[in-house]
Amino acid sequence: MSLNTTLRRALPSSRSAYLLALLLGLGLVASPVATPEAHAAVSLGTVSSAARVAAAQVGVPYRYGGTSPSTGFDCSGLTLYAYGRAGKRLPRTAQQQYAASTRISARSARPGDLVFFHNGGTVYHVAVYAGSGWIWHAPKPGKRVAKVRLWTTAVTYGRVR
């Protein structure tokens, strides 16, 4: 006998539908990345290549809207460029890149995955994970692309699909 049939017999229909939805929702919250495909979204070669490209940009100046080492990078321009050179197309902004990636745990993050900084539901910064708690990022005007230690745990990790 299915769970749905058991619930329908035990509860009035509106309550069983509510309880079933609640149970399914809890399952998604408890395991948001439940499929192996989410962890293998792009090849390890692509992710590694993106990480190498990002690392090679250290010292390039920050430029708002920048997407090139010759003119400078903003945060999402750096990730766009790194993945583009690795053969994978990303959307332009940090928020769009967040929407186009699959959430992964900090433990599953590997060099080349994306690290998203957010305030509530708004993503305001993105970086390329370098491994062991370090990132490559284009921080802000007046600064240059750098490898820095993550300064907060309030980030979300994403794997490019």
Side-chain angles (χ1 to χ4, degrees):
M1 184 181 312
S2 74
L3 175 62
N4 196 19
T5 303
T6 304
L7 287 174
R8 258 191 255 160
R9 287 183 181 167
L11 299 167
S13 65
S14 62
R15 284 192 178 162
S16 65
Y18 174 77
L19 185 57
L20 183 59
L22 180 64
L23 289 171
L24 290 172
L26 287 174
L28 292 174
V29 169
S31 181
V33 185
T35 62
E37 295 80 34
H39 288 286
V42 294
S43 73
L44 182 57
T46 299
V47 175
S48 297
S49 180
R52 284 191 301 277
V53 171
Q57 307 317 305
V58 168
V60 173
Y62 179 93
R63 177 174 169 244
Y64 182 77
T67 59
S68 163
S70 61
T71 58
F73 291 108
D74 66 8
C75 66
S76 58
L78 175 63
T79 56
L80 175 86
Y81 180 79
Y83 269 90
R85 298 291 282 192
K88 184 69 180 168
R89 184 175 294 215
L90 285 181
R92 176 62 185 95
T93 69
Q95 185 74 46
Q96 291 167 338
Q97 291 174 9
Y98 177 81
S101 63
T102 301
R103 274 2 98 230
I104 58 171
S105 69
R107 282 194 336 257
S108 348
R110 59 190 184 203
D113 284 329
L114 300 178
V115 181
F116 297 99
F117 297 74
H118 45 85
N119 184 6
T122 304
V123 173
Y124 65 86
H125 189 58
V126 62
V128 177
Y129 189 58
S132 302
W134 291 78
I135 58 170
W136 289 289
H137 76 142
K140 61 184 179 180
K143 300 291 183 178
R144 295 178 177 274
V145 173
K147 182 180 178 184
V148 299
R149 182 168 287 286
L150 269 169
W151 58 91
T152 179
T153 57
V155 296
T156 304
Y157 293 84
R159 181 137 315 139
V160 174
R161 295 185 270 228

